[in-house]
Amino acid sequence: MILFSLFFVSANAQSEDSLFIRKLADEILLNSKAYENLRVLTKQIGGRLAGSPQMVKSEQWGLKAMQAAGAGKAWLQECMVPHWVRGGNDKAYVLANSSKIAGKKPGAKKELDVIALGNSFGSIKPLTAPVILINNFEELEEKKDSIKGKIVFYNYKMNPTYVRTFQAYGEAGQYRGAGPSRAAKYGAAAVIVRSMSHSTDNNPHTGSTRYIDSFPKIPAVAVGLRDADWLSDLLQKGNASVTIHTHGKFLPDTIGHNVIGELEGTEFPNEYITVGGHLDSWDNCEGAHDDGAGCVQTIEILRAFKALGYQPKRTIRFVLFANEENGLRGGNKYADEAKAKGEKHIFALESDAGGFTPRGFGFNVSAEGLRKIQGWKNLIAPYGASELTQGGGGADIGPLNRTQGTPVAGLQPDSQRYFDYHHARNDVFEAVNKRELDLGAVNMAILLYLVDKYGL
Ligand SMILES: [Zn+2]
């Protein structure tokens, strides 16, 4: 009898939840402003790297968008950000010094489609050197005595057998992050990295590199996949020299901001839930999937909660983070200030994996917390995010987890196309599908509603 009534109570709660969740989903699927917001952010502002004029414009846009969505309070949280500039057009070409390049006369150039890595230092003048093909770090170590004075071409391929592309990106990403300094350690003059992508086009993909101060900060570019294959073939047949000309440099740090909107909690106003994406993007694209999508989904959840008159029990913060791509200063500032003010952050959610069809959420939470979340599966799964698994989060909310152990989660959309666009010139508004974008917001809103109502 007792068991039966317990079942009855929980079944009632479930049906009450499923009714509200249906309303929440309908509100977003019928009235979402996410796609139009994304159009304005990408087409009217465009790429918005930390320190750029577009960064300032996007902060003002974000503040207005939070207010328009109905934030009880909205403000800019100041943080210093690095100011790296590309400084010009990145170029690289192979000189046809013999008839080795099919279709090219001796003395002709074969241009490579390249882009300098973020935070890399330019060559200033054109730099010409023989290229050495290096397929992985083991090979770099084997050939360390042949590196001096050469351009190291890391041709490490993302592993196509991993169904989850982020796993392949995680492995390949170290060639972009650590590759230049590891090559500089053995005297390399510059580095060319195969772009981190499975794409069939030739667009080069940028992203941050991390120099180690004890080695020379050598120029570094990423090359498109077709050109990477072509160069690799050429080097397997014989020697080749490449000329690289890049201009990257740092200007003094400048003032940037996280954009924050807030809905105050009615029962536990001192317990905070954060949801967000990052407002900055690389300069070579519109930053539509990375991470305009996460920003407009965040604003959309706020709009939908307000439109339905939903009053959260806990305080929900909607945050567009500054400088994720090449510094993480926004995420660090947010966590530092939360700690300094003694705020208790019980959960944080980020969308920074593209505006594609939601498949699930990855969590960094206790086993007990995960069991509680998995108990909500039948409420969330009908909207797409059925995989609720351990392992995940987001770069900008990582600092909250590190400073106060806040459980974190990341939206996990279908990942098959993300690295076709990530940090490349084709990451534009047109690459985002409205329904997929809206469904991401729907699933995030549902998870937030459940965490707000039941805690973690
Ligand atoms: Zn991102």
Side-chain angles (χ1 to χ4, degrees):
M1 192 64 199
I2 289 167
L3 265 178
F4 176 78
S5 60
L6 269 177
F7 171 78
F8 192 71
V9 167
S10 98
N12 252 351
Q14 285 256 333
S15 69
E16 191 189 303
D17 286 337
S18 67
L19 282 175
F20 181 77
I21 285 168
R22 184 67 254 177
K23 275 206 280 185
L24 192 53
D26 288 353
E27 175 56 36
I28 294 173
L29 293 172
L30 286 168
N31 302 318
S32 171
K33 300 275 189 293
Y35 192 64
E36 174 57 14
N37 274 335
L38 186 65
R39 190 187 65 75
V40 173
L41 178 65
T42 54
K43 292 299 179 196
Q44 292 182 8
I45 300 172
R48 41 199 182 277
L49 193 58
S52 66
Q54 292 90 336
M55 174 196 78
V56 178
K57 277 189 200 164
S58 66
E59 290 169 353
Q60 292 304 321
W61 166 85
L63 186 62
K64 287 207 184 85
M66 289 288 185
Q67 287 159 344
K73 232 165 64 175
W75 69 98
L76 299 178
Q77 181 182 45
E78 187 177 309
C79 60
M80 294 306 286
V81 294
H83 190 185
W84 180 82
V85 291
R86 187 167 304 285
N89 281 330
D90 307 314
K91 290 228 171 274
Y93 54 85
V94 183
L95 263 182
N97 52 359
S98 67
S99 53
K100 268 184 299 191
I101 303 182
K104 295 273 181 191
K105 292 189 180 121
K109 294 173 186 174
K110 151 77 180 170
E111 295 273 351
L112 300 173
D113 202 341
V114 298
I115 186 156
L117 299 186
N119 292 358
S120 72
F121 286 25
S123 62
I124 314 301
K125 289 185 296 186
L127 177 163
T128 303
V131 181
I132 181 166
L133 176 66
I134 298 289
N135 287 297
N136 51 56
F137 285 139
E138 292 74 51
E139 200 178 333
L140 177 76
E141 296 305 319
E142 284 161 21
K143 296 185 176 167
K144 64 184 179 191
D145 297 329
S146 322
I147 302 296
K148 198 168 167 40
K150 298 206 179 110
I151 294 173
V152 166
F153 168 37
Y154 289 115
N155 194 37
Y156 186 87
K157 294 177 181 155
M158 285 203 355
N159 188 335
T161 67
Y162 297 156
V163 173
R164 292 169 184 265
T165 61
F166 278 85
Q167 192 182 351
Y169 176 68
E171 285 181 4
Q174 51 182 331
Y175 290 85
R176 188 188 75 212
S181 279
R182 288 189 66 161
K185 181 179 168 190
Y186 299 130
V191 160
I192 300 171
V193 190
R194 183 187 179 91
S195 287
M196 271 109 246
S197 177
H198 289 307
S199 150
T200 50
D201 64 27
N202 195 39
N203 295 326
H205 297 241
T206 190
S208 276
T209 193
R210 294 180 305 275
Y211 288 129
I212 294 171
D213 283 336
S214 45
F215 304 116
K217 294 174 174 164
I218 59 175
V221 298
V223 64
L225 264 51
R226 288 188 197 170
D227 283 348
D229 289 339
W230 178 86
L231 184 59
S232 157
D233 283 352
L234 185 75
L235 291 166
Q236 278 163 28
K237 286 181 220 143
N239 297 326
S241 287
V242 166
T243 301
I244 288 179
H245 194 189
T246 58
H247 319 266
K249 63 181 174 192
F250 279 98
L251 301 175
D253 283 8
T254 184
I255 295 173
H257 301 88
N258 293 323
V259 182
I260 305 177
E262 190 178 273
L263 287 182
E264 198 180 4
T266 50
E267 275 183 50
F268 312 106
N270 297 326
E271 289 188 14
Y272 292 87
I273 294 171
T274 296
V275 56
H278 65 84
L279 190 52
D280 65 314
S281 80
W282 285 105
D283 57 327
N284 61 329
C285 59
E286 293 173 3
H289 278 292
D290 188 14
D291 184 27
C295 292
V296 300
Q297 287 168 332
T298 296
I299 296 165
E300 177 57 22
I301 298 162
L302 166 61
R303 191 203 64 76
F305 280 160
K306 283 296 287 189
L308 294 176
Y310 179 68
Q311 294 184 309
K313 286 185 179 182
R314 297 166 165 90
T315 296
I316 305 183
R317 290 249 186 91
F318 302 84
V319 186
L320 315 182
F321 290 96
N323 182 225
E324 187 272 344
E325 295 292 2
N326 66 333
L328 212 65
R329 303 275 185 89
N332 284 326
K333 173 73 187 191
Y334 186 75
D336 287 348
E337 195 169 305
K339 195 177 176 196
K341 290 185 170 169
E343 291 171 359
K344 184 181 173 195
H345 284 255
I346 67 144
F347 181 61
L349 170 64
E350 180 153 8
S351 166
D352 184 20
F356 301 101
T357 300
R359 297 281 191 228
F361 293 97
F363 295 86
N364 183 352
V365 63
S366 68
E368 189 191 340
L370 187 68
R371 267 196 299 279
K372 186 165 184 179
I373 291 159
Q374 286 173 335
W376 302 330
K377 185 172 165 174
N378 63 340
L379 291 166
I380 308 175
Y383 301 90
S386 57
E387 298 165 13
L388 308 173
T389 52
Q390 195 68 268
D396 300 289
I397 54 177
L400 268 184
N401 177 266
R402 289 192 284 278
T403 53
Q404 56 172 297
T406 303
V408 292
L411 175 69
Q412 293 182 337
D414 186 277
S415 70
Q416 300 314 316
R417 285 166 292 155
Y418 186 58
F419 293 101
D420 290 2
Y421 303 109
H422 180 249
H423 301 177
R425 65 170 80 98
N426 57 337
D427 183 11
V428 294
F429 176 66
E430 291 80 358
V432 178
N433 173 279
K434 180 180 185 321
R435 283 191 61 77
E436 291 185 285
L437 180 72
D438 286 338
L439 278 169
V442 165
N443 283 270
M444 293 166 71
I446 295 168
L447 179 62
L448 289 171
Y449 161 75
L450 291 167
V451 173
D452 175 52
K453 186 165 174 185
Y454 297 109
L456 260 190

